[in-house]
Amino acid sequence: MSDKEIRVRFAPSPTGYLHIGGLRTALYNYLFAKNKKGKFILRIEDTDRNRYVEGAVDNLLSTLNWAGLQADEGPKSSGDYGPYLQSERLDIYNEHIKKLIVDGKAYYCFCTQERLTELREKQKKEVIQTKYDKHCLHLTEDEIIQKLNDKTPNVIRLNIEPNKEIFFNDIIRGEVTFSSDTIDDQVLIKSDGFPTYHFANVVDDHLMKITHVIRGEEWISSTPKHVLLYDYFNWERPQFAHLPLLLNPDKSKLSKRQGDVAVEDYMQKGYLKDALINFIALLGWNAGDDKEYYTMDELINAFSLERVNKAGAIFNLDKLDWLNAEHLRSTPNDKILIMLKDEISKSNYSNFDCTDEYLLLIIEAMKERVSFVKEYIEKCPYFFEPPIEYDEKVVKKRWKDDSQELLKIFSSRIEQLVNPRKEDYERILKKLCEEKEIGLGRLIHPLRLALSGVGIGPGIFDLIFILGKEESLKRIDKALDQIK
RNA sequence: GGCGCGUUCGUCUAGUGGCUUAGGACGCCGCCCUCUCAAGGCGGAGAUCACGGGUUCAAAUCCCGUACGCGCUACCA
């Protein structure tokens, strides 16, 4: 493998949404390509007309873009090897299948669906492997021409020679061997004239000069068919790397039934793309050290197929939440501001009117306390509206006999302040506690309760400063009135 | 059923024959810090490395077998 340009592809079928497992496959392809200064190509495998979903391609593209996995070549990008939609490449497949037929490597099959089902049932009853019996391979040329002229529905099948050892090398798993006897004469061209995945994928990968086929483990079993096709065409085989599967908690292949599998679901839940990418990158790969937090650039630098695991990984969200918090914490405040404003517009506080400076103060104060942007609202609603009620437990624990008096004095003293800073509140509070010979908590806790209605939150001086003098005075008054 | 792939703490994983009384991370528990909650620091519980044979002075690591799990077994991808 000389200095040839590395070219890999992500080849999803447009089923309506991007599966999280698909995102990981795309990511590994992307990381590998970028690490090798190669190209990442997106090809849409839309050869199954029954599964056509309106708008699926656009959706796929936008989700991939959100995740930061822009294709160097693809349906909406430029590229010299298009079209990148298989449904637009029918002529190409047709031209290539002819060569195979001429060489006897593929053949027409006119068997009806009924005969095929019957055959399969018979084989099942005899408990032998279910596969096509090459019935139509023995048709004479005249018979074939006759049937073709009669427009008898037909498919084209791969002609697999019996009794051959087929092996290929997998970067992740090493050498894998199959006996050709266990491989079916796969349909290459369906009766509607569309190719199957097996045929289209090989033709396209060759024509698009794909050097490495990186895909899910579920393709291992059909790889011998693909490998045979390369050999039949006399084409150089790409390198294969079959990724371990993403699993449900019960270890079955990650599926819709057991939780969210669409990338959009995670977008909607408020996960940061950097966190999601970081998380799925670590599901099946690691650099061999203890590093857990990665940016995309760091992933590109560190990634290698050799260090991808063989065993499937259960998709478990605990770590994702932690990574999201980590990534959110290292996001600059001005970026969080933009996300927070968006979140506010979607919340009950959509009419809340305030300056960016106000939100920035909240962001800074809450930064260590949130894992998601929306928690800047959920965990501290008191920044957006006065407390409606006071946490019963906190009242019981923190509201003492002297709380009323202390708050009254404190309130009257801060009232005198002009444009108070955080330090001014602190000075006054400390002085008052000194005078009364009490610990700071004696005043701090009731004050927090009065201001926020709850017993948890940012530092008290941040809290009072952010709310501001007027608002704080109002809230203290109200609390004095309502908490008994 | 056939074929293929896999199997280290609950989960993600390190480990490529001696450095391993199997390391880290998430989660969980405790302590410290402290105005609360977090964050942070420190510590703890948690894996007879699926099982059984072999090879070797020495095996989680190499070989064989078994079990279990998963994938494929379509004119789906």
Side-chain angles (χ1 to χ4, degrees), chain A residues 170-364:
Chain A
D170 188 287
I171 296 174
I172 295 168
R173 293 152 208 282
E175 191 172 280
V176 184
T177 317
F178 289 83
S179 158
S180 70
D181 295 333
T182 65
I183 303 166
D184 203 358
D185 277 9
Q186 185 61 232
V187 170
L188 263 19
I189 303 286
K190 300 180 252 186
S191 56
D192 62 5
F194 277 66
T196 58
Y197 170 87
H198 305 284
F199 187 60
N201 134 298
V202 168
V203 171
D204 289 345
D205 283 345
H206 176 256
L207 262 21
M208 293 181 181
K209 294 199 160 54
I210 299 303
T211 55
H212 298 256
V213 171
I214 304 167
R215 78 231 296 194
E217 186 185 339
E218 67 267 34
W219 294 108
I220 291 183
S221 303
S222 38
T223 303
K225 294 167 189 170
H226 307 160
V227 154
L228 229 38
L229 245 12
Y230 283 100
D231 294 354
Y232 283 174
F233 277 120
N234 226 297
W235 288 341
E236 187 186 349
R237 282 142 65 147
Q239 302 248 67
F240 292 99
H242 287 98
L243 272 20
L245 259 19
L246 254 31
L247 273 23
N248 289 313
D250 70 356
K251 295 200 183 232
S252 58
K253 189 166 147 185
L254 189 62
S255 68
K256 227 176 190 171
R257 305 200 65 119
Q258 304 193 31
D260 293 320
V261 295
V263 175
E264 295 146 274
D265 293 333
Y266 293 90
M267 291 169 66
Q268 268 164 25
K269 283 184 180 173
Y271 286 102
L272 261 21
K273 72 154 205 277
D274 292 325
L276 225 211
I277 291 291
N278 189 164
F279 177 64
I280 62 174
L282 257 20
L283 244 35
W285 171 87
N286 77 89
D289 53 25
D290 288 342
K291 192 170 161 66
E292 304 269 355
Y293 179 95
Y294 282 91
T295 62
M296 183 67 103
D297 284 343
E298 289 169 336
L299 284 172
I300 290 171
N301 261 309
F303 189 80
S304 76
L305 284 175
E306 285 75 15
R307 291 207 56 89
V308 172
N309 288 136
K310 301 178 209 299
I314 293 174
F315 190 72
N316 182 313
L317 267 17
D318 278 348
K319 209 169 193 167
L320 211 206
D321 288 354
W322 170 72
L323 275 172
N324 205 68
E326 292 287 308
H327 279 272
L328 186 54
R329 264 175 227 127
S330 57
T331 303
N333 289 359
D334 56 334
K335 284 216 175 110
I336 297 179
L337 175 66
I338 296 168
M339 296 188 275
L340 178 55
K341 281 169 139 177
D342 180 55
E343 208 61 58
I344 290 171
S345 72
K346 290 187 289 187
S347 75
N348 292 334
Y349 306 115
S350 56
N351 293 321
F352 188 74
D353 186 34
C354 71
T355 60
D356 285 357
E357 286 66 37
Y358 182 75
L359 295 178
L360 250 8
L361 287 172
I362 297 172
I363 289 170
E364 190 53 38

Side-chain angles (χ1 to χ4, degrees), chain A residues 143-189:
Chain A
E143 285 174 315
I144 293 170
I145 291 168
Q146 178 67 252
K147 284 179 187 286
L148 251 21
N149 284 340
D150 292 348
K151 302 241 181 316
T152 313
N154 65 83
V155 300
I156 299 172
R157 287 181 182 275
L158 179 63
N159 185 12
I160 291 180
E161 288 176 66
N163 222 266
K164 283 253 159 64
E165 286 280 285
I166 302 167
F167 56 90
F168 64 92
N169 197 67
D170 188 287
I171 296 174
I172 295 168
R173 293 152 208 282
E175 191 172 280
V176 184
T177 317
F178 289 83
S179 158
S180 70
D181 295 333
T182 65
I183 303 166
D184 203 358
D185 277 9
Q186 185 61 232
V187 170
L188 263 19
I189 303 286

